[in-house]
Amino acid sequence: MKRSRILAAAVAASTLVALAGCSSSGSSDGKTIKVAYQDFGSDLMSVFMNKAKKGFEAANPGEKVTLVPIKAAENDYYTKLSLMNRSAATAPDVLYEDTFLIRSDAQAGYLEPLDSYVAKWGDWSQFYDNAKDAGKGDDGKIYGVSMGTDTRGLWYNKDIFAKAGLPTDWKPTSWTEVLDAAKTIKAKVPGVTPINIFSGKAGGEASSMQGFEMLLYGASENGLYDASSSKWITGSKAFTDSLDVLKDVYQGGLGPSQEVTSDTNYQNIVTSQLLPQGKLAINLDGSWVSNTWQKGGATPWPEWNTVMGTAPMPTQTGDKPGSISMSGGWTLSMGSKSKAKDEAFKFISYALNKENSLDFAIQLSQIPVRKDVAADPSYAKANPTSEFFSSLVAVTKFRPATPDYSKISNGIQVAMESVMTGQQSPAEAAKAYDDTVVGIVGKDKTSSE
C-alpha cells in the first residue's frame, strides 16, 4: 500500500513537471495569457480555440495567447488541470472548466471571481439566468462564463432497428420498453451490441451523468440530493432500481464488452467506432455526439443523419413528465494565480461574444446559453437534431451543485462497476454507496428516502 502511494505521488509529480514544460510561456509579462482546454481528439475544439486566439490577437495588438491543449479523457483532464492549478508556474490564466467542478475548484482557491468584470460587460445581459447560475460558487460569486449547455437522450441506429423488426420512429415509454428493444436486437441481429449505458470507473463522469443519473432522475424526483433540506439521499429504492437496470444490461449480455467499458477511451470508442461502424444499436448519450461525425470532427460520417434516430429517455414507468434529461455544460474561467487578469477576462469576453458563441454552438452541437444565439436562425438550421435536444430542456435536471459532488460521483461509479462486473448485487452496492456518502458528508447531512 505504501509503495502504491509513493508511486502515485511520483506519477503526479512527473505529470506536473511535464505540464510545466508544455506551458512555461506564462503570463509574467502581463501581456501573454495561457488558455488550457481539453482536446477531445477532435479538431473542432482546437479550431474554435485557434479562431478565438487569432481574432483576439488581431483585435488586441501586442497581446498574445498561448494555447495549452490537454489531450486526455474527461477524468484525466480534471486531474491534469488540478495539477496545473497547484503551482503559479503552471496555472493557466483561462481554463475550460466543467460546471460541476466550479464550486469545488472555487473553494480550493483555483478560480478568480468574475463579478467585477461581468458587471461592466454589456453582453452579460444576453446570458440566461440559469447559465449565469451554472458559474456560481458557494459564496454566490461568478467563477465561470457558460459556453453552452447540453441535454441527453437516446440515439439509435434505424438500420439495425429495421433488421430487428423494430419501429424506426422509436419512442419508448418506459425502462422496460428500452430493455425489451435491446433484448430483441440481441436475438435478431447477431454481432451487434444492443445498448450502451455508460457505466463504471473508466467512463468517469459520463458514467455518473449520462448513465446512472439518467436512470435515477427518471425514477425519483429528488435523485441524489434533496435541495430543500440540503441533504444527500440514502436508502433510495430508485437508486437500487437503477443499478438493477445495469445488472440487466451488463450481466445480461446487452452492453459493450468489459474490454470497452474498462478502457479510458470508452466514450471515444462508442462515438468514433461502435456507432459509425454500425456495431451499436442504442446509445444513451448527449446532444453533442453528432459533432464527432460532422466535417472536421474526429470521425466524419456523412450518413449519420439518415442512419441515426433520436428519442427521449423515458422515466421508469412512464410517469410524468414522461421523459428525463440531464444537463451540464462548460465555462471559461479565470485562474486565481493569473498575473494578467484583465487580459484573461478580455479573452473570455471575446471568445464568448455573440459571433463566437454561435460558432461554438453550431460546430460543437451545443444548446445556446445566450438569448441572441438561441434566436439566430442559422443555429436551428445547422444541425437536424438541434430542435429535438433543445426540446429536452423542458424535462432536464442538473447535478447537485455542491463541493461534495465530485466525491459522491466517484462513489456512484464504484457502485455501478461492482454491479456490472457481478461483484455485488444492486442492493449490496446501494448499501455500500450509502455508507460512502455518510463517510463523505456525515450522517447529519443525509436523509433516508
Side-chain angles (χ1 to χ4, degrees):
M1 192 71 169
K2 182 177 179 182
R3 183 177 181 273
S4 65
R5 288 198 298 268
I6 293 171
L7 179 59
V11 170
S14 64
T15 303
L16 185 56
V17 170
L19 289 168
C22 77
S23 56
S24 57
S25 54
S27 54
S28 59
D29 60 1
K31 292 293 183 180
T32 300
I33 60 169
K34 296 180 296 186
V35 179
Y37 65 95
Q38 184 182 6
D39 182 343
F40 296 95
S42 162
D43 290 338
L44 295 175
M45 191 65 189
S46 290
V47 167
F48 172 80
M49 284 295 187
N50 277 282
K51 179 184 175 184
K53 164 185 163 70
K54 183 178 179 180
F56 176 82
E57 291 178 344
N60 299 279
E63 297 183 21
K64 299 294 181 184
V65 175
T66 299
L67 296 179
V68 186
I70 301 174
K71 192 166 187 176
E74 202 164 49
N75 276 14
D76 292 338
Y77 173 70
Y78 303 146
T79 300
K80 290 178 180 180
L81 198 60
S82 178
L83 287 168
M84 290 177 74
N85 279 320
R86 293 178 188 176
S87 167
T90 57
D93 301 281
V94 176
L95 51 151
Y96 181 64
E97 179 87 351
D98 196 318
T99 53
F100 92 90
L101 288 174
I102 288 281
R103 295 200 175 201
S104 57
D105 283 356
Q107 192 177 73
Y110 295 153
L111 307 180
E112 183 72 15
L114 302 177
D115 300 74
S116 62
Y117 291 99
V118 297
K120 301 172 187 176
W121 185 29
D123 283 16
W124 190 234
S125 62
Q126 288 292 340
F127 287 77
Y128 292 111
D129 288 343
N130 60 357
K132 294 177 181 179
D133 290 344
K136 285 183 178 178
D138 274 349
D139 55 7
K141 294 180 181 178
I142 300 293
Y143 288 92
V145 178
S146 289
M147 303 180 74
T149 189
D150 46 41
T151 54
R152 286 151 178 79
L154 292 162
W155 292 86
Y156 64 96
N157 186 305
K158 291 186 281 189
D159 291 346
I160 296 174
F161 268 55
K163 290 178 183 177
L166 294 167
T168 56
D169 59 348
W170 187 51
K171 292 291 182 289
T173 61
S174 67
W175 291 358
T176 298
E177 288 188 18
V178 173
L179 292 174
D180 283 349
K183 291 172 184 176
T184 298
I185 290 162
K186 181 183 179 183
K188 295 187 176 181
V189 191
V192 167
T193 298
I195 187 170
N196 174 60
I197 298 177
F198 286 106
S199 185
K201 292 286 292 177
E205 185 59 20
S207 295
S208 299
M209 193 175 185
Q210 273 97 278
F212 191 79
E213 289 166 35
M214 283 291 289
L215 294 167
L216 180 65
Y217 282 83
S220 167
E221 177 63 28
N222 288 324
L224 293 170
Y225 184 77
D226 183 352
S228 64
S229 64
S230 300
K231 292 185 176 182
W232 292 90
I233 295 171
T234 56
S236 167
K237 179 179 183 298
F239 196 99
T240 305
D241 288 350
S242 300
L243 290 175
D244 272 324
V245 173
L246 298 179
K247 178 182 178 181
D248 288 344
V249 169
Y250 287 99
Q251 294 190 38
L254 301 176
S257 67
Q258 188 173 355
E259 181 182 5
V260 171
T261 60
S262 62
D263 195 307
T264 55
N265 290 312
Y266 182 5
Q267 286 179 269
N268 288 337
I269 291 171
V270 168
T271 55
S272 294
Q273 297 178 35
L274 299 183
L275 286 172
Q277 292 172 11
K279 295 179 179 178
L280 174 62
I282 304 167
N283 183 39
L284 181 55
D285 215 331
S287 51
W288 63 87
V289 168
S290 63
N291 73 54
T292 301
W293 309 322
Q294 295 184 40
K295 184 178 180 181
T299 309
W301 182 20
E303 301 81 16
W304 75 267
N305 186 44
T306 58
V307 175
M308 297 302 297
T310 54
M313 177 63 183
T315 54
Q316 183 175 16
T317 58
D319 291 342
K320 290 183 179 181
S323 59
I324 187 67
S325 172
M326 297 295 298
S327 288
W330 295 76
T331 71
L332 287 184
S333 297
M334 183 192 300
S336 60
K337 296 179 177 66
S338 173
K339 296 178 182 178
K341 291 184 172 68
D342 289 347
E343 286 73 18
F345 187 77
K346 193 186 296 184
F347 176 82
I348 291 172
S349 61
Y350 176 82
L352 299 183
N353 64 21
K354 195 232 174 172
E355 178 187 351
N356 288 327
S357 292
L358 177 61
D359 184 55
F360 181 79
I362 290 173
Q363 296 302 324
L364 282 93
S365 303
Q366 294 283 299
I367 294 172
V369 291
R370 288 182 59 125
K371 301 168 191 174
D372 49 5
V373 172
D376 196 299
S378 60
Y379 167 71
K381 293 178 182 177
N383 189 314
T385 63
S386 295
E387 184 177 356
F388 166 75
F389 280 109
S390 294
S391 74
L392 298 180
V393 170
V395 296
T396 205
K397 300 282 188 178
F398 295 86
R399 291 165 291 185
T402 76
D404 298 316
Y405 173 76
S406 59
K407 295 177 183 177
I408 302 291
S409 176
N410 184 69
I412 293 169
Q413 293 159 32
V414 170
M416 298 175 88
E417 184 151 315
S418 67
V419 169
M420 65 190 289
T421 57
Q423 296 176 55
Q424 289 183 312
S425 69
E428 290 169 338
K431 175 61 169 61
Y433 165 81
D434 290 345
D435 292 342
T436 296
V437 172
V438 171
I440 293 170
V441 303
K443 183 69 175 177
D444 60 325
K445 292 185 180 179
T446 65
S447 175
S448 295
E449 190 174 64

